[in-house]
Amino acid sequence: MVTADAQVSEFFRQYCHDCHAGGADEGGLELSQLGTDLDDEATRARWVRIYDRVANREMPPVDAAKPSAREREAFTQKLGTLLVAAHAKTKGTVLRRLNRREYENTLNDLFGTNLDLGQMLPEDSRAHEFDNVGHALGLSMVHLQRYMDAADRVLDTAIAGRTEAPQPDTITASYLDSGDADKFVGKVWKKLEDGAVVQFSQRAYPSGMMRATRIRQPGRYRITVNGYAYQSGGPVTFSVGGTSFARGSEKPTYGFWSFPPGRPGDAFSIEFEAWIEQNYMLSVDPYGINDPEKYQRKSVEDYGGPGLAVLNVQIEGPLLDAWPLPGHRLLFEGIDRREIEPRNPADKKKSWYKAKFEVVSDDEEADAARALKRVAAAAFRRPVTDQDVARFVALFGSARTEGNSFEQALRMAVTAIFCSPKFLYLQEPPGKLDSYAMASRVAYFLTRTAPDRELLRAAKEDQLTTDAGLREQTERLLRSPHFERFLVDFTDSWLDLRDMDFTVPDRQLFPEFDAYLQYSMPLETRRFLRELVESDLPVTNIVMSDFAMLNSRLAAHYDLPPVAGAELRKVRLPAGSIRGGLLSQASILKVTANGTNTSPVTRGAWVMERILGTPPPPPPPGVPGVEPDIRGAATLRELLDKHRNLPACNACHRQIDPPGFALESFNPIGGFRDRYRSIGAGEKVQLQVNGRNVGYRLGPEVDSSGMLPGNRPFADFREFREYLAADPRRLAQTLASKLLTFATGRELGFSDRAEVARIVTLSEAHGFGVRDLIHLVVQSEVFRHK
């Protein structure tokens, strides 16, 4: 057992007892209640906190006796050695289960399907911000039942139900094909001489839904929208989404685009591919144009405002990259699976006909064994032996004995493989990882799925245990289309983008918030991170950059020079702009607010944990957020100032509040503000949004100043971010730690600090580039060991 010793206790006696012993418990710390067993995780965490406070010269406080530099160094060295030893005994990724996203990606990629399997599974628990940390991912009987259901659904979709490849259909539809066309044309829609139908504003009814686009079969489709901006001096933006009459069904937005100005006879097109579910229809809705008298006007024939003219929509699909799907070939390659001919051959031409199949085999057990060995190798992400699949072959035999067909029995055995611990859990032996474990670790890190054929080849040739081989494969995965999954999953966890839709901004306070802005917010952050990686930009860009990823909506929201179109692109910011970096992006500012107001404490704690890597401790037991003796504060800042005067709260709030105060420059939807908005009291605002007068008023002025550690003041957000950017080592240390946690599936501890520091030092030699930092993470000892 590792315990704190006398040398550490003597330091406490000299410098800490006045405030933290003999009944004194400032900040909630009473040394006699601390405990000395560093093998206990909770006790060790408290000792780590003490180590950091002393090492960072936060303790003892300025008004107390101070240790000499030699005493401080001796204390931290001794305690650090004990903490390293204690943590090293317990660290290492526990047997880590695939989380919902990893499970879904893996099955869809192996079988060539595109199913929402994650929604079939219980929600994954989180350890801090991450939902792929091994010790937080349990397994229950509910999980196993859902895994069986998910495997059945995948097999139903992947196994071919016909002998010939389905041919894609093409639907060409317009609003004139709608049964409601006669009802709306001339009143709210305008028909032009070229057959285009014009919408002059977005409406709840009639919406932009096009009934004739109903999809009969789920799949990937190529969609083309033809039209132009009508009576407009500039482009008109519009969205294309999916809609269904099914109660409670989701309404996905496939994207936003813009048409340039045109006249009848002109035609511009946008084309994209999207997965569309059965019985969904397309909806094309204009954005940014408004007919203020639309409800009073009986006819639109003489209306002269801008509109969106849509000629038609073409839908081609379902599109198949291969047929049969990879999952079908995985199961039946080398097996004679035949269609059972119906009694009446003419039935095959009937619309209701559904083919039936049988497997013809001279040696069923051998055929099944070969198929199951092939499936198991793909599922287990490494070569398998006959012994590895023996129990699955036996299960196949038992199912056949019970009267199931060859295909039914094979499906049972395949389902068992995908419920096996060797599939559900990453197989990582203690110590240094072998090539196949490395292949899985780097694949699930950067592409969020099982190793592809090239990675498995590299593992077979033992290339992933060499620096050069590992770097080559890392670089290849960074260029993979699946790297987008990393950007989504990592930002969902690290930056809380998974909570983008958790709150709905108050419509009266923030009438400018709309679907286009909400759609653009997370895309900006993910495209920003992609740009940092692809261009290997310095990590300081996280807090301060001279560019932003913008489209027309974000540029307008940020009061920046106009940007044409809905496509996000890299835009150089004006000198002195308050934008640039993550902390001024609308997505971050939205997920750290509640939709109505902002809290410096919430945002400050977020910055400390996610950007600075120093999560604040929870409030001391029994200390409420606001004590009765601080009544009378006029503003939230005054409230927090009084709150900090409480001895139990001062130490933490001195660190938490300043970042939160700096971010008070931004409202809950990421707009810049110098005054708070309110409903009721305040100065009336003469402003219209979407043709309507706003209902909010302007309240008190925003004060975004604060005091940094070392009694260094900052006047506003700009000075605060400059302070953060001046310490690239700390930013690199935090990002490296977050990447390692996400990559290894375990939280880092005290004994990992030396390796993280080594990564940061190596990164410094290359200008702290983010792409280089990812390579250093993958090459690190933490990544290469369990």
Side-chain angles (χ1 to χ4, degrees), residues 222-245:
R222 182 179 298 113
I223 299 105
T224 304
V225 181
N226 300 297
Y228 48 90
Y230 177 68
Q231 294 181 168
S232 177
V236 170
T237 300
F238 61 93
S239 65
V240 182
T243 187
S244 167
F245 290 128

Side-chain angles (χ1 to χ4, degrees), residues 100-118 120 149-161 217-220 274-277 318-331 411 414 418 423 449 482 485:
R100 294 193 302 175
R101 197 80 68 95
E102 294 164 337
Y103 176 91
E104 177 182 299
N105 291 340
T106 302
L107 282 183
N108 279 333
D109 291 345
L110 286 178
F111 285 86
T113 52
N114 189 42
L115 300 170
D116 188 3
L117 303 175
M120 300 178 65
D149 295 342
D152 278 342
R153 189 177 174 197
V154 169
L155 293 172
D156 286 342
T157 304
I159 295 175
Q217 183 178 347
R220 181 168 55 89
W275 184 272
I276 307 179
E277 295 293 343
L319 305 175
L320 298 175
D321 294 325
W323 197 89
L325 294 178
H328 179 98
R329 297 196 299 272
L330 185 65
L331 267 66
R411 285 182 57 140
V414 168
F418 286 100
F423 168 70
T449 190
H482 288 333
R485 294 173 175 172

Side-chain angles (χ1 to χ4, degrees), residues 487-546:
L487 295 173
V488 171
D489 290 358
F490 185 61
T491 55
D492 274 1
S493 296
W494 173 38
L495 303 176
D496 279 332
L497 294 197
R498 63 161 67 91
D499 294 333
M500 271 301 303
D501 301 329
F502 186 72
T503 60
V504 178
D506 187 285
R507 291 189 178 277
Q508 190 170 353
L509 283 172
F510 306 104
E512 68 269 41
F513 184 79
D514 54 41
Y516 188 14
L517 180 58
Q518 184 172 10
Y519 172 83
S520 302
M521 283 178 172
L523 293 183
E524 175 194 12
T525 301
R526 289 166 184 153
R527 286 291 300 275
F528 181 80
L529 181 57
R530 177 180 284 278
E531 176 63 19
L532 298 189
V533 174
E534 289 183 346
S535 299
D536 196 24
L537 297 178
V539 72
T540 50
N541 283 272
I542 287 176
V543 294
M544 188 169 70
S545 66
D546 61 0

Side-chain angles (χ1 to χ4, degrees), residues 179-428:
D180 295 330
D182 293 340
K183 184 189 304 183
F184 301 128
V185 168
K187 296 180 180 179
V188 295
W189 294 344
K190 183 175 182 178
K191 177 184 175 183
L192 303 181
E193 58 197 64
D194 58 357
V197 172
V198 183
Q199 302 176 66
F200 291 104
S201 63
Q202 184 176 7
R203 290 171 171 264
Y205 181 79
S207 68
M209 180 181 69
M210 196 173 286
R211 292 174 180 266
T213 60
R214 186 158 72 94
I215 297 301
R216 307 291 181 179
Q217 183 178 347
R220 181 168 55 89
Y221 288 83
R222 182 179 298 113
I223 299 105
T224 304
V225 181
N226 300 297
Y228 48 90
Y230 177 68
Q231 294 181 168
S232 177
V236 170
T237 300
F238 61 93
S239 65
V240 182
T243 187
S244 167
F245 290 128
R247 180 176 298 177
S249 60
E250 295 184 356
K251 291 179 169 51
T253 299
Y254 303 129
F256 282 79
W257 292 269
S258 296
F259 276 149
R263 297 179 179 180
D266 294 336
F268 302 97
S269 300
I270 62 100
E271 183 179 289
F272 64 96
E273 292 185 4
W275 184 272
I276 307 179
E277 295 293 343
Q278 186 177 18
N279 291 326
Y280 267 75
M281 296 159 284
L282 295 185
S283 183
V284 182
D285 296 281
Y287 169 81
I289 55 175
N290 183 59
D291 177 2
E293 298 179 0
K294 59 187 176 183
Y295 295 113
Q296 288 76 38
R297 186 178 289 106
K298 295 182 179 180
S299 173
V300 295
E301 293 300 323
D302 297 326
Y303 178 61
L308 174 69
V310 177
L311 284 160
N312 56 54
V313 171
Q314 295 176 344
I315 307 176
E316 180 186 1
L319 305 175
L320 298 175
D321 294 325
W323 197 89
L325 294 178
H328 179 98
R329 297 196 299 272
L330 185 65
L331 267 66
F332 295 108
E333 185 176 349
I335 293 176
D336 186 4
R337 182 177 184 260
R338 304 175 183 175
E339 182 180 3
I340 301 173
E341 293 295 324
R343 294 181 180 179
N344 182 2
D347 288 350
K348 299 176 71 172
K349 298 182 180 180
K350 305 293 186 182
S351 60
W352 47 261
Y353 176 73
K354 185 175 182 180
K356 296 181 180 180
F357 294 86
E358 63 178 350
V359 171
V360 178
S361 173
D362 294 331
D363 189 340
E364 288 191 356
E365 183 174 325
D367 284 343
R370 282 192 293 271
L372 292 171
K373 193 172 183 179
R374 187 168 57 243
V375 172
F380 299 163
R381 302 172 284 274
R382 59 176 59 236
V384 297
T385 65
D386 292 340
Q387 184 177 358
D388 291 329
V389 298
R391 58 195 178 112
F392 303 111
V393 175
L395 177 60
F396 167 84
S398 298
R400 286 293 280 142
T401 301
E402 293 172 1
N404 293 285
S405 69
F406 183 102
E407 184 169 325
Q408 290 171 331
L410 184 64
R411 285 182 57 140
M412 290 181 186
V414 168
T415 298
I417 286 174
F418 286 100
C419 292
S420 164
K422 289 187 177 181
F423 168 70
L424 295 174
Y425 288 85
L426 293 173
Q427 304 302 305
E428 297 176 339

